[in-house]
Amino acid sequence: MGIHWFILSAVAVLIIQWQLFKRLGMKKVHYSRNFNTTHCFEGDRIEMVEKLANHSMLPLPWLRVESQLHTGLRFDSEFNFDVSQGQFYQNHKSLFSLMGYKQLTRRHTVQCVQRGCYRLTSASLTSGDLFGLHKAWMNVPLQEQLIVYPKPVDRSEIHLPSNSWQGDISVKRWIVEDPFYITGVRDYQQGDPLKAINWNATARAGKLQVHQRDYTADYRLMVVLNVEDHAGMWDTVNDTETIEQGIRYAAGIIQYASEQGLEVGFAANGHDLDVPGRPVHVGTGSGHEHFMATLEQMSRLVIARAVPFDTLLEQMAEELDARCDLLVVSAFMSDKINAVMERIRSEGHGAHWMPIDAAKGAA
């Protein structure tokens, strides 16, 4: 009789614990995951923090947390968790065991090896009873976002064109003609825009006369990035690392220009993460806040062509009014791109090409 009672008691315990875990197992389990910062630079190390709380007297013999993360976030170690890595995404698994009315916090050191906008949207939790008779699954929504800024190349790696603004710097400011300060008229010179012609003075003098403008330190620069990696490209960018280096190079130029007090903007024929099909455009501005906002937009840039680069330049040429220089950061130069740049120059603006190859190895 003793063995029978033992078997019956064991079966009863199995059934009772199975029912308990089935009804109560994950009802009072709370899980959260977040980064210890919301913004950082490419190459920085940050922490990803996991918190698990069991608000029930029922213990958790085991609980597995699974989620997908981008490979741009690299874990320094794999203690208490497992990472299965693919080309673009990695599957992250954490294992927990927790007694009743206890909570646990784990901190993982993560290196941000690539700029981008990383979002934690959900994690799946799987738990079970002591004997593997029951498994419960739950999806936990997450709303965490990490902005990883591109790392600007060092100032020593920036080689501006010899015929550009660096020869006009005075007390760390660009000195150029200001369209609002008119002091008289002068004879027309090759390269003067048609809109600068003073027709009344031309009629009096019998030859073309243009407005004579005074000089000021106010000036604008637009850095324009081409996400196409070769001429004749269709939709797919093959050499993404070259374009990533171009982004770092553009960031370095914008940082340098901002430090000199120059109004600077950014545009690219790639698109924003949340706005597919529309080229990225950040208007000119100055100051630290504008610089950081530009870096954030560069973090959100998707390396996929929204419009051909020459089309983007044509659109920008139509919108240029006051004096502005365009610095084209591109892996190549084509006849179409060069033609638009010549048009921009003929209208009194500057247009210069910076090959991305010049920045390789700078980061």
Side-chain angles (χ1 to χ4, degrees):
M1 288 294 293
I3 189 64
H4 294 91
W5 280 110
F6 176 78
I7 293 174
L8 288 174
S9 299
V11 170
V13 169
L14 287 174
I15 294 174
I16 291 172
Q17 69 90 35
W18 171 59
Q19 288 294 327
L20 283 173
F21 278 99
K22 182 178 179 180
R23 295 175 181 273
L24 305 174
M26 296 183 67
K27 284 191 174 181
K28 294 187 177 182
V29 173
H30 295 274
Y31 174 83
S32 66
R33 173 185 292 184
N34 63 281
F35 298 107
N36 67 335
T37 184
T38 57
H39 297 76
C40 67
F41 278 90
E42 192 176 17
D44 287 351
R45 279 181 165 81
I46 62 171
E47 283 188 338
M48 188 184 78
V49 184
E50 292 184 291
K51 293 183 179 180
L52 178 68
N54 182 9
H55 298 296
S56 168
M57 63 177 296
L58 199 66
L60 289 173
W62 63 272
L63 183 141
R64 182 174 66 244
V65 180
E66 296 181 79
S67 62
Q68 272 199 338
L69 297 171
H70 197 277
T71 53
L73 302 178
R74 181 183 298 165
F75 290 85
D76 281 0
S77 65
E78 297 185 7
F79 178 71
N80 280 332
F81 70 93
D82 177 60
V83 177
S84 302
Q85 192 154 322
Q87 183 178 2
F88 300 109
Y89 290 93
Q90 55 189 322
N91 191 48
H92 177 273
K93 298 179 182 178
S94 293
L95 294 175
F96 297 87
S97 180
L98 200 61
M99 297 300 292
Y101 298 117
K102 297 291 184 181
Q103 60 183 12
L104 179 65
T105 299
R106 284 184 184 166
R107 300 179 182 274
H108 308 285
T109 302
V110 181
Q111 183 180 15
C112 303
V113 297
Q114 184 178 334
R115 61 106 205 162
C117 174
Y118 300 101
R119 290 167 176 166
L120 303 180
T121 57
S122 65
S124 61
L125 278 59
T126 306
S127 183
D129 62 9
L130 293 167
F131 303 101
L133 299 177
H134 174 73
K135 283 186 179 181
W137 177 88
M138 179 173 65
N139 187 68
V140 177
L142 302 172
Q143 293 183 339
E144 289 296 319
Q145 176 174 283
L146 174 67
I147 296 293
V148 179
Y149 299 128
K151 183 180 180 181
V153 297
D154 189 79
R155 172 66 186 93
S156 62
E157 303 292 341
I158 300 176
H159 306 292
L160 297 175
S162 59
N163 61 338
S164 70
W165 338 270
Q166 56 182 347
D168 297 326
I169 297 178
S170 176
V171 292
K172 298 185 177 181
R173 298 292 300 273
W174 272 261
I175 308 299
V176 297
E177 285 187 346
D178 191 309
F180 299 104
Y181 294 160
I182 300 174
T183 58
V185 295
R186 60 172 173 80
D187 291 341
Y188 175 85
Q189 298 176 1
Q190 185 177 1
D192 287 335
L194 292 177
K195 59 186 177 182
I197 295 176
N198 185 323
W199 293 108
N200 292 331
T202 297
R204 291 193 299 267
K207 57 181 179 179
L208 286 176
Q209 300 288 300
V210 297
H211 296 294
Q212 175 70 52
R213 305 183 188 280
D214 201 353
Y215 288 81
T216 179
D218 293 332
Y219 184 65
R220 300 186 305 159
L221 169 68
M222 179 65 71
V223 179
V224 191
L225 173 72
N226 185 5
V227 301
E228 301 168 17
D229 58 355
H230 63 278
M233 192 197 85
W234 289 88
D235 294 326
T236 304
V237 180
N238 297 318
D239 189 1
T240 56
E241 181 49 41
T242 291
I243 308 305
E244 289 289 350
Q245 187 61 26
I247 294 173
R248 300 182 193 107
Y249 196 55
I253 295 169
I254 292 172
Q255 181 182 43
Y256 174 65
S258 297
E259 289 172 352
Q260 309 309 311
L262 180 66
E263 286 196 7
V264 61
F266 173 73
N269 60 332
H271 65 83
D272 183 272
L273 179 65
D274 296 324
V275 191
R278 182 186 302 175
V280 165
H281 185 276
V282 179
T284 56
S286 59
H288 181 71
E289 289 186 5
H290 181 267
F291 170 60
M292 298 308 295
T294 304
L295 284 185
E296 179 160 345
Q297 181 61 79
M298 298 174 81
S299 302
R300 298 169 58 87
L301 175 65
V302 177
I303 301 179
R305 189 179 70 175
V307 296
F309 189 65
D310 57 286
T311 300
L312 174 65
L313 286 181
E314 288 175 353
Q315 294 173 353
M316 297 185 66
E318 295 293 335
E319 297 172 358
L320 291 177
D321 44 21
R323 177 79 160 87
C324 181
D325 264 17
L326 267 68
L327 182 62
V328 171
V329 180
S330 174
F332 65 93
M333 177 57 63
S334 68
D335 291 340
K336 289 184 176 180
I337 295 174
N338 188 60
V340 182
M341 292 176 66
E342 286 295 336
R343 173 193 165 188
I344 291 172
R345 294 188 188 106
S346 70
E347 294 177 353
H349 306 285
H352 310 277
W353 173 41
M354 294 299 301
I356 293 178
D357 283 345
K360 279 191 174 180

